[in-house]
Amino acid sequence: MTKTTLTILFSFFVSILSAQIVGTVRDDKGESLPFVNIYLEGSQEGTTTNGDGEYVLDVLGSGAGRNATEQTYTVVFQFLGYTTVRKDITTKNSQYTLDVVLVPETTSLDEVVVEAGVNPADRVVRAAIENRKANLERLSEYTANFYSRGLWQVKNAPEKFLGQEVGDLGGGLDSTRTGIIYLSETISEIAYQRPNNFSEKIIASKVSGDDNGFSFNTAIDANFSFYENTLEINTQLISPIGINAFSYYKYKLIGTFYEEGKIINKIEVTPRRPKDRVFSGLIYIVEDEWQLYGVDLATNGDAIQVPIIENLNFKQNYKYDAQYKQWVKISQVIDFSFGILGLKGDGRFTAGYSDYNFEPNFTKKSFTNEVLSFADEANKKDSLYWEEKRPVPLTLEETDDYLKKDSIQVIRKSKKYLDSIDGRSNKFRILDPITGYSYTNTYKRWRVGYDGIFNSVGYNTVQGWNGETGLNYFTWSDDDYSKTLYAFAKVNYGFSEDRLRYRAGFTRQFDQKKRAVLSVIGGVETKQFNANNPITNSVNTVASLYFERNYLKIYERSFVDVAYSQEIFNGLRLWGSVSYEDRKGLANTTDQTFYPKDDIVFTSNNPRDPQNLFPDDPTGVVDHAIVKTQLSARINFGQKYYNYPTGKFNIPNDRFPTLFLTYEGGLGADEDRFNYTQLRASLRQGFNIGNKGRFRYALNGGTFLNSADGASFIDFQHFNGNQTRINLDGSSLNRFNLLPYYERSTNQGYFEGHVEHNFKGWVLGKIPGLNTLNFNLVAGAHVLSTADNRPYTEWSIGLDNLGWGKFRFLRVDYVRSSGLGANDGAFVFGVSF
């Protein structure tokens, strides 16, 4: 039997076992109504209208067909802000057309009991808050079927964005540079158990223009409950029925109406302070049961602190489930608009829930750390499957997008097309010898590049002006980059020391599941004593040339490094490396500045003697060779992950800390005193404290298993200090703001602790005037304890989310330190992403 015959038979049996009710829903002015909820009364079967107000409601088991008997259905049309309509129909046809007009709901205050001096809306909201936990418990565990559709579109897109060609964004833009740039659908089976157990198996996934793609519309990302005190949307937003809601909202009862024989209270929600982390709009609460009937709430980019988002709207509809005697969410629509640097657009994520089971009988094995998985060939479902299973019909625009991009896809994967695109990007331009050049063969999946003349130019007092250039090669196995190879060769030249250095190597990634990576690198290079590179090349260049402060301290190593890393199993990743290093000290060769002075005195390149008190040791290094080994483990307790067919993607888990364990050793040194062993551990975690902001901490400690005279200074434990009053890594917690770079470096036991709390508007959002600025108050503390030294401490208070318009990535802190003699205080300016 052929595949075509099977398809015909399948279609025939579907037609005799099911019927369809189709139609359009409009308002009383003739405008189509998108995302109206439509379901059969007393059943689990339902759908919503699409963006054009059209719907298709499948009725399984109806017996439609030639010998079918007449069937009677009650079809319910429900939409927030409109009066619910019930239509009784009788049919034996396989398709029945039912067009409906909804009129705006008529609310009344006749049923409202008004007490003297009491806002009637407050009475309802207080009752909803009092019953919040009970309602959460009713919805605490379930299984359901889930459908989601995501759509992004842009309008009047610029030809270039940040200097880069925008193109037609995968064929989505028309001649006016407007169109859909992302369209996808998923059909899933989900299971949920409050508070943190969630699993989703995607049965079908479809991405417009990518027949191998997998949608990122997931149920866990759409799992928003306004019964929770807060909703996490980049930051914590207060629910209008959260425990502290009256501190953030004002309420007004618009009126009441009847649904399912129940009184529904329609309440307007208004923020008390415009810049709080809050919503505005409407909530609908069922009288006596104090459950949600629906929400229609909005927030914006200021509230969630994502400036490119202009508006974000949530609409949730609930349906009464007679079996479980509760109101359950059956649909959710999230609309958003965005804009940055002339690029504007909007989008929508639509979700539908059906076939709830609130008595799932979960066991301890029902949930694992695998949050998301895919059925076999989930992205290979044909159009017949989607026509049958898709609960919400496509709009004409969406249909056209699928057809256009699916046909374009074939062309754009062809050698002729890819070669033509490469031909444009591979053109050689007059500035390419300076800025760099790359040549790509997309069809054969490889690229070669040239970094340009002195692509990385900087200045330090050892090399003087120096620059680096090189060649690189990159190849990938498929569109998902599951296997990659990157190879490079680079040269660096220091003009003042007249010294050429070079290095070359490759990095090979073997898969996307375990992230198995092998790298081999060798050559000659300069390297900071602190391998974490606490001062950047650019900052040191400015500090040295303008302010005569040469903080960068470097040595030279001739080396070969071999490293391998892999996730052994979920939550455990190992890194291992071995290297041979021949190390040499370097001394200053220049005192050049932009503003020469007679009394310029740069510090030496010896980090242990920057004031050059011992001129016989200007480098801080006794030349030697050593074999260095390192083995590190990262343990993510309770690590949850998405299991895509193309790779495994770990997701953040605030519930547990991350533990790092490291063994580091040196052996075979020229002199035994340079051999050493160090053990260290680190514990890091960040978590939200309700709506009061985010708390983070990092605790690091270690010890050396050799005498106090062992190890080269290169192999000491160095700490990330700062002497520039500039912090270009404001998101990092493992650093001190005022500690000199090598002041407390040690080859003995040590401990450092860092804590920081970002109040995310909880404090400043309540202060009139200041709350309009949308700044975040940040407080932090840092401590360092090393052998034979008094503890070094820092306390800081600062402002985050500074900037202008949509660019709010600046930060300023005032820091006080103690432990180095006289107490010190300074402002530190930086960036934070």
Short mmCIF file of all heavy atoms in Angstrom, two decimals, residues 427-457:
data_model
loop_
_atom_site.label_atom_id
_atom_site.label_comp_id
_atom_site.label_asym_id
_atom_site.label_seq_id
_atom_site.Cartn_x
_atom_site.Cartn_y
_atom_site.Cartn_z
N LYS A 427 33.19 40.39 -1.47
CA LYS A 427 33.87 41.44 -2.24
C LYS A 427 34.94 42.12 -1.40
O LYS A 427 34.75 42.43 -0.23
CB LYS A 427 32.86 42.48 -2.71
CG LYS A 427 31.95 42.00 -3.84
CD LYS A 427 31.02 43.11 -4.30
CE LYS A 427 30.15 42.62 -5.46
NZ LYS A 427 29.21 43.69 -5.91
N PHE A 428 36.09 42.34 -2.03
CA PHE A 428 37.22 42.97 -1.35
C PHE A 428 37.07 44.49 -1.43
O PHE A 428 36.83 45.05 -2.50
CB PHE A 428 38.53 42.55 -2.01
CG PHE A 428 39.75 42.89 -1.20
CD1 PHE A 428 40.15 42.07 -0.15
CD2 PHE A 428 40.48 44.03 -1.47
CE1 PHE A 428 41.27 42.38 0.60
CE2 PHE A 428 41.59 44.34 -0.73
CZ PHE A 428 42.00 43.51 0.31
N ARG A 429 37.18 45.16 -0.27
CA ARG A 429 37.02 46.60 -0.20
C ARG A 429 38.33 47.27 0.17
O ARG A 429 39.23 46.63 0.73
CB ARG A 429 35.92 46.96 0.81
CG ARG A 429 34.55 46.44 0.39
CD ARG A 429 33.52 46.58 1.50
NE ARG A 429 32.20 46.11 1.09
CZ ARG A 429 31.81 44.85 1.07
NH1 ARG A 429 32.66 43.90 1.47
NH2 ARG A 429 30.59 44.52 0.66
N ILE A 430 38.42 48.55 -0.12
CA ILE A 430 39.70 49.25 -0.03
C ILE A 430 40.26 49.28 1.39
O ILE A 430 41.48 49.28 1.58
CB ILE A 430 39.55 50.70 -0.60
CG1 ILE A 430 40.94 51.32 -0.74
CG2 ILE A 430 38.65 51.54 0.32
CD1 ILE A 430 40.91 52.62 -1.51
N LEU A 431 39.39 49.28 2.41
CA LEU A 431 39.88 49.34 3.79
C LEU A 431 40.10 47.97 4.40
O LEU A 431 40.55 47.86 5.55
CB LEU A 431 38.89 50.13 4.66
CG LEU A 431 38.76 51.62 4.36
CD1 LEU A 431 37.73 52.26 5.29
CD2 LEU A 431 40.10 52.32 4.52
N ASP A 432 39.81 46.90 3.66
CA ASP A 432 39.93 45.56 4.22
C ASP A 432 41.33 45.21 4.70
O ASP A 432 41.47 44.50 5.71
CB ASP A 432 39.45 44.52 3.21
CG ASP A 432 37.94 44.50 3.08
OD1 ASP A 432 37.27 45.13 3.93
OD2 ASP A 432 37.41 43.88 2.14
N PRO A 433 42.41 45.66 4.05
CA PRO A 433 43.74 45.36 4.59
C PRO A 433 43.95 45.90 6.01
O PRO A 433 44.76 45.37 6.77
CB PRO A 433 44.69 46.03 3.60
CG PRO A 433 43.92 46.08 2.32
CD PRO A 433 42.50 46.34 2.75
N ILE A 434 43.22 46.94 6.36
CA ILE A 434 43.35 47.53 7.70
C ILE A 434 42.32 46.94 8.65
O ILE A 434 42.64 46.56 9.78
CB ILE A 434 43.19 49.06 7.63
CG1 ILE A 434 44.30 49.65 6.75
CG2 ILE A 434 43.22 49.68 9.03
CD1 ILE A 434 44.15 51.12 6.51
N THR A 435 41.06 46.87 8.21
CA THR A 435 39.97 46.47 9.11
C THR A 435 39.75 44.96 9.16
O THR A 435 39.15 44.46 10.10
CB THR A 435 38.67 47.14 8.67
OG1 THR A 435 38.35 46.74 7.33
CG2 THR A 435 38.80 48.66 8.72
N GLY A 436 40.24 44.23 8.15
CA GLY A 436 40.05 42.79 8.13
C GLY A 436 39.16 42.34 6.99
O GLY A 436 38.39 43.12 6.42
N TYR A 437 39.27 41.06 6.66
CA TYR A 437 38.53 40.51 5.53
C TYR A 437 38.23 39.05 5.79
O TYR A 437 39.03 38.34 6.42
CB TYR A 437 39.36 40.65 4.25
CG TYR A 437 38.77 39.96 3.04
CD1 TYR A 437 37.70 40.51 2.36
CD2 TYR A 437 39.28 38.73 2.61
CE1 TYR A 437 37.14 39.88 1.25
CE2 TYR A 437 38.73 38.08 1.51
CZ TYR A 437 37.67 38.66 0.84
OH TYR A 437 37.11 38.03 -0.24
N SER A 438 37.06 38.59 5.32
CA SER A 438 36.74 37.17 5.41
C SER A 438 36.13 36.70 4.10
O SER A 438 35.46 37.46 3.40
CB SER A 438 35.78 36.89 6.57
OG SER A 438 34.52 37.49 6.32
N TYR A 439 36.39 35.45 3.79
CA TYR A 439 35.85 34.83 2.59
C TYR A 439 35.07 33.59 3.02
O TYR A 439 35.60 32.73 3.73
CB TYR A 439 36.97 34.44 1.63
CG TYR A 439 36.48 33.83 0.33
CD1 TYR A 439 36.27 34.62 -0.78
CD2 TYR A 439 36.23 32.46 0.24
CE1 TYR A 439 35.81 34.08 -1.97
CE2 TYR A 439 35.76 31.90 -0.96
CZ TYR A 439 35.56 32.72 -2.05
OH TYR A 439 35.09 32.19 -3.23
N THR A 440 33.80 33.49 2.59
CA THR A 440 32.91 32.43 3.05
C THR A 440 32.40 31.60 1.89
O THR A 440 32.04 32.14 0.84
CB THR A 440 31.71 33.03 3.81
OG1 THR A 440 32.18 33.82 4.90
CG2 THR A 440 30.80 31.93 4.35
N ASN A 441 32.37 30.30 2.08
CA ASN A 441 31.68 29.39 1.18
C ASN A 441 30.59 28.71 2.00
O ASN A 441 30.82 27.69 2.65
CB ASN A 441 32.65 28.36 0.60
CG ASN A 441 32.01 27.51 -0.49
OD1 ASN A 441 30.83 27.15 -0.41
ND2 ASN A 441 32.78 27.19 -1.53
N THR A 442 29.41 29.32 2.00
CA THR A 442 28.32 28.85 2.84
C THR A 442 27.85 27.47 2.43
O THR A 442 27.51 26.63 3.29
CB THR A 442 27.15 29.84 2.80
OG1 THR A 442 27.63 31.14 3.15
CG2 THR A 442 26.06 29.44 3.77
N TYR A 443 27.83 27.18 1.14
CA TYR A 443 27.33 25.89 0.67
C TYR A 443 28.20 24.75 1.19
O TYR A 443 27.70 23.70 1.60
CB TYR A 443 27.30 25.87 -0.86
CG TYR A 443 26.67 24.61 -1.42
CD1 TYR A 443 25.29 24.44 -1.41
CD2 TYR A 443 27.47 23.60 -1.96
CE1 TYR A 443 24.71 23.28 -1.92
CE2 TYR A 443 26.90 22.44 -2.47
CZ TYR A 443 25.51 22.28 -2.45
OH TYR A 443 24.94 21.15 -2.94
N LYS A 444 29.51 24.96 1.21
CA LYS A 444 30.42 23.93 1.73
C LYS A 444 30.76 24.14 3.20
O LYS A 444 31.56 23.41 3.76
CB LYS A 444 31.70 23.91 0.89
CG LYS A 444 31.46 23.47 -0.55
CD LYS A 444 32.77 23.33 -1.32
CE LYS A 444 32.51 22.81 -2.72
NZ LYS A 444 33.77 22.65 -3.50
N ARG A 445 30.19 25.17 3.80
CA ARG A 445 30.27 25.42 5.23
C ARG A 445 31.70 25.66 5.72
O ARG A 445 32.20 24.95 6.59
CB ARG A 445 29.62 24.28 6.02
CG ARG A 445 28.14 24.07 5.72
CD ARG A 445 27.53 23.10 6.72
NE ARG A 445 26.11 22.89 6.49
CZ ARG A 445 25.61 21.84 5.84
NH1 ARG A 445 26.42 20.91 5.38
NH2 ARG A 445 24.31 21.71 5.67
N TRP A 446 32.37 26.65 5.16
CA TRP A 446 33.67 27.06 5.70
C TRP A 446 33.90 28.54 5.46
O TRP A 446 33.28 29.16 4.60
CB TRP A 446 34.82 26.22 5.12
CG TRP A 446 34.99 26.28 3.62
CD1 TRP A 446 34.50 25.40 2.72
CD2 TRP A 446 35.71 27.28 2.87
NE1 TRP A 446 34.84 25.76 1.44
CE2 TRP A 446 35.60 26.91 1.50
CE3 TRP A 446 36.41 28.43 3.18
CZ2 TRP A 446 36.18 27.65 0.48
CZ3 TRP A 446 37.00 29.18 2.17
CH2 TRP A 446 36.88 28.79 0.84
N ARG A 447 34.77 29.07 6.26
CA ARG A 447 35.09 30.51 6.17
C ARG A 447 36.56 30.70 6.55
O ARG A 447 37.06 30.10 7.51
CB ARG A 447 34.21 31.31 7.12
CG ARG A 447 34.48 32.82 7.13
CD ARG A 447 33.68 33.53 8.19
NE ARG A 447 32.25 33.29 8.05
CZ ARG A 447 31.51 32.68 8.95
NH1 ARG A 447 32.05 32.25 10.08
NH2 ARG A 447 30.21 32.49 8.76
N VAL A 448 37.25 31.55 5.81
CA VAL A 448 38.61 31.96 6.17
C VAL A 448 38.60 33.47 6.37
O VAL A 448 37.83 34.20 5.73
CB VAL A 448 39.66 31.57 5.10
CG1 VAL A 448 39.77 30.06 5.00
CG2 VAL A 448 39.30 32.18 3.76
N GLY A 449 39.44 33.94 7.29
CA GLY A 449 39.43 35.36 7.60
C GLY A 449 40.82 35.89 7.90
O GLY A 449 41.74 35.14 8.26
N TYR A 450 40.92 37.18 7.74
CA TYR A 450 42.15 37.91 8.05
C TYR A 450 41.77 39.04 9.01
O TYR A 450 40.81 39.78 8.75
CB TYR A 450 42.76 38.45 6.75
CG TYR A 450 43.68 39.63 6.91
CD1 TYR A 450 44.88 39.50 7.62
CD2 TYR A 450 43.37 40.86 6.34
CE1 TYR A 450 45.73 40.59 7.76
CE2 TYR A 450 44.21 41.94 6.48
CZ TYR A 450 45.39 41.80 7.18
OH TYR A 450 46.22 42.87 7.33
N ASP A 451 42.48 39.17 10.12
CA ASP A 451 42.08 40.09 11.19
C ASP A 451 42.33 41.56 10.89
O ASP A 451 41.83 42.42 11.60
CB ASP A 451 42.82 39.73 12.49
CG ASP A 451 42.40 38.37 13.02
OD1 ASP A 451 41.32 37.90 12.62
OD2 ASP A 451 43.15 37.79 13.81
N GLY A 452 43.12 41.85 9.88
CA GLY A 452 43.46 43.24 9.62
C GLY A 452 44.80 43.60 10.25
O GLY A 452 45.34 42.89 11.10
N ILE A 453 45.36 44.73 9.79
CA ILE A 453 46.65 45.17 10.31
C ILE A 453 46.47 45.73 11.71
O ILE A 453 45.72 46.68 11.92
CB ILE A 453 47.28 46.23 9.39
CG1 ILE A 453 47.54 45.63 8.00
CG2 ILE A 453 48.58 46.77 9.97
CD1 ILE A 453 48.05 46.62 6.99
N PHE A 454 47.16 45.13 12.64
CA PHE A 454 47.09 45.57 14.03
C PHE A 454 45.63 45.74 14.46
O PHE A 454 45.20 46.80 14.87
CB PHE A 454 47.88 46.86 14.23
CG PHE A 454 49.33 46.72 13.87
CD1 PHE A 454 49.93 47.61 13.00
CD2 PHE A 454 50.07 45.67 14.38
CE1 PHE A 454 51.26 47.46 12.66
CE2 PHE A 454 51.40 45.53 14.05
CZ PHE A 454 52.01 46.42 13.18
N ASN A 455 44.90 44.65 14.29
CA ASN A 455 43.48 44.65 14.64
C ASN A 455 43.26 44.98 16.10
O ASN A 455 42.27 45.61 16.47
CB ASN A 455 42.88 43.28 14.32
CG ASN A 455 41.41 43.20 14.62
OD1 ASN A 455 40.64 43.99 14.11
ND2 ASN A 455 41.02 42.26 15.46
N SER A 456 44.20 44.56 16.96
CA SER A 456 44.09 44.85 18.38
C SER A 456 45.29 45.70 18.78
O SER A 456 46.37 45.18 19.07
CB SER A 456 44.06 43.54 19.19
OG SER A 456 44.03 43.79 20.56
N VAL A 457 45.09 46.99 18.77
CA VAL A 457 46.19 47.93 19.04
C VAL A 457 46.08 48.44 20.46
O VAL A 457 45.00 48.76 20.94
CB VAL A 457 46.15 49.11 18.05
CG1 VAL A 457 47.24 50.13 18.40
CG2 VAL A 457 46.32 48.62 16.63
#
